[in-house]
Amino acid sequence: MCKRYNYILCVILVTMGNRNLLNNAAARYCNSMYWAVATMTSTGYGDVRASNNYERVFASIVMILGKLLFGFVLGNITSTLANADIQRVHYDEKMEAVKKHMTDQQLPGNLKRQVLSYYQYLWERNKGVDNSSLFGDMPSCMKAEIYLGMSQEFLEKIPLFEGVNAGFRRNLVVHFRPVLFLPNDHLLRQGDTAQQMFCIKNGKVDVLNEDDRVIQTLSKGDFFSEESLIHAFPSKHSFRAATAVDVLALLKSDLDAVLVNYPQIRQRVDEWEATSQKSN
């Protein structure tokens, strides 16, 4: 404790210019402090160095502040780089888990490549961001307006939803789910019971007959499988992505949940279902 007070006292005396009191002790303390700080901060001594107590104290303060500033800057850079790459780390961890699971389940090699290509495409498009939950923390009214803006062009074309009120539309559009497909991926195969409707946001989809021949190509703004929202008839055609395709999918269960609060529209859907069953 005494040594600490002597050290503080000598620094004060030196900085105040009192050379008559404890001059030799002050010089030794300042030399020791200057040597210790220069060594700890890896500054070195060089050809030009402090020659008196004032310069040594000042140089020591500058070296300490400089090292603190360097550490602060380096820490911020490290934190920024770590946060920028955190999504990639999560993606790599998920990919390792997917690969291990597919190996354990002994999936065919072509199916493995297809799955890995799909996740690679997801990374290139979204960089690890889950678009389905992107607006999850927004107010319900604002979220409904966002989804309505994304799907308005489809709702106006689908006969099932023609003339429905704005409240029903806002409640319905929040259930649209964005889905991505790679070229040659099947969105729906002939004979499958889809129970969901697809609306094409971007890309092209080929409609195939039973011989896998293209009979029609759908593009942006088109929709298909809307009849699966009201009955469970098997699909008459296959639908395959001609390019990378972004679609909005609406499940029958989500439509049924919304129709509970709209009995008039429910009655209209039931009538449309009865007419469709007669025609089939």
Side-chain angles (χ1 to χ4, degrees):
M1 183 67 69
C2 295
K3 290 183 178 180
R4 187 198 309 175
Y5 287 136
N6 289 337
Y7 170 76
I8 297 174
L9 178 61
C10 76
V11 172
I12 294 175
L13 291 174
V14 170
T15 54
M16 292 179 61
N18 193 337
R19 298 175 179 272
N20 297 324
L21 297 176
L22 300 177
N23 186 51
N24 295 332
R28 289 196 296 269
Y29 274 116
C30 290
N31 278 328
S32 300
M33 182 181 67
Y34 175 74
W35 175 87
V37 172
T39 302
M40 288 189 300
T41 58
S42 303
T43 304
Y45 308 100
D47 297 330
V48 179
R49 55 182 179 177
S51 58
N52 56 57
N53 292 341
Y54 293 108
E55 293 178 357
R56 294 187 187 100
V57 172
F58 179 77
S60 299
I61 295 174
V62 170
M63 285 187 287
I64 293 173
L65 293 179
K67 188 59 68 172
L68 292 176
L69 179 61
F70 177 76
F72 175 76
V73 174
L74 186 62
N76 281 342
I77 294 175
T78 303
S79 177
T80 301
L81 294 177
N83 291 334
D85 204 37
I86 190 170
Q87 296 290 353
R88 182 70 191 190
V89 172
H90 291 165
Y91 168 77
D92 290 338
E93 291 177 351
K94 182 174 182 177
M95 291 301 297
E96 288 299 321
V98 169
K99 292 177 182 178
K100 184 178 184 302
H101 182 71
M102 291 192 297
T103 301
D104 293 340
Q105 298 301 317
Q106 299 181 350
L107 295 183
N110 60 336
L111 184 56
K112 288 182 181 180
R113 289 189 293 272
Q114 188 176 359
V115 171
L116 296 178
S117 297
Y118 178 77
Y119 279 113
Q120 180 63 32
Y121 178 67
L122 280 182
W123 171 257
E124 293 174 356
R125 282 291 305 274
N126 303 329
K127 299 301 181 184
V129 178
D130 183 9
N131 288 339
S132 61
S133 60
L134 195 59
F135 303 109
D137 55 349
M138 300 193 68
S140 57
C141 290
M142 184 178 295
K143 183 167 63 174
E145 292 297 331
I146 292 174
Y147 280 98
L148 186 62
M150 294 168 56
S151 55
Q152 182 71 34
E153 58 178 320
F154 305 111
L155 292 178
E156 295 174 350
K157 296 179 181 180
I158 301 173
L160 184 61
F161 302 132
E162 284 183 357
V164 296
N165 60 61
F168 175 80
R169 291 187 178 188
R170 282 193 293 270
N171 280 276
L172 181 66
V173 294
V174 295
H175 295 287
F176 278 89
R177 303 177 183 182
V179 186
L180 306 179
F181 292 91
L182 294 179
N184 297 320
D185 283 351
H186 277 82
L187 288 73
L188 183 62
R189 293 183 182 272
Q190 185 179 21
D192 290 349
T193 303
Q195 294 192 344
Q196 62 181 327
M197 177 186 67
F198 298 95
C199 304
I200 304 175
K201 287 289 293 181
N202 289 296
K204 294 182 179 181
V205 175
D206 289 334
V207 184
L208 310 176
N209 60 12
E210 58 185 7
D211 298 325
D212 281 344
R213 293 183 179 179
V214 178
I215 59 176
Q216 185 182 358
T217 299
L218 305 177
S219 57
K220 180 179 180 181
D222 292 329
F223 58 91
F224 59 93
S225 189
E226 68 278 6
E227 68 277 359
S228 64
L229 293 176
I230 58 174
H231 55 68
F233 290 152
S235 175
K236 297 179 181 179
H237 303 97
S238 295
F239 297 86
R240 185 179 63 196
T243 64
V245 180
D246 298 359
V247 302
L248 295 176
L250 176 65
L251 296 175
K252 182 180 185 301
S253 57
D254 292 332
L255 174 62
D256 291 339
V258 175
L259 288 174
V260 171
N261 300 317
Y262 297 90
Q264 293 180 346
I265 302 178
R266 172 81 265 183
Q267 182 180 1
R268 173 182 173 179
V269 171
D270 292 339
E271 293 174 354
W272 203 68
E273 179 179 3
T275 304
S276 299
Q277 287 177 346
K278 290 180 181 178
S279 61
N280 286 279

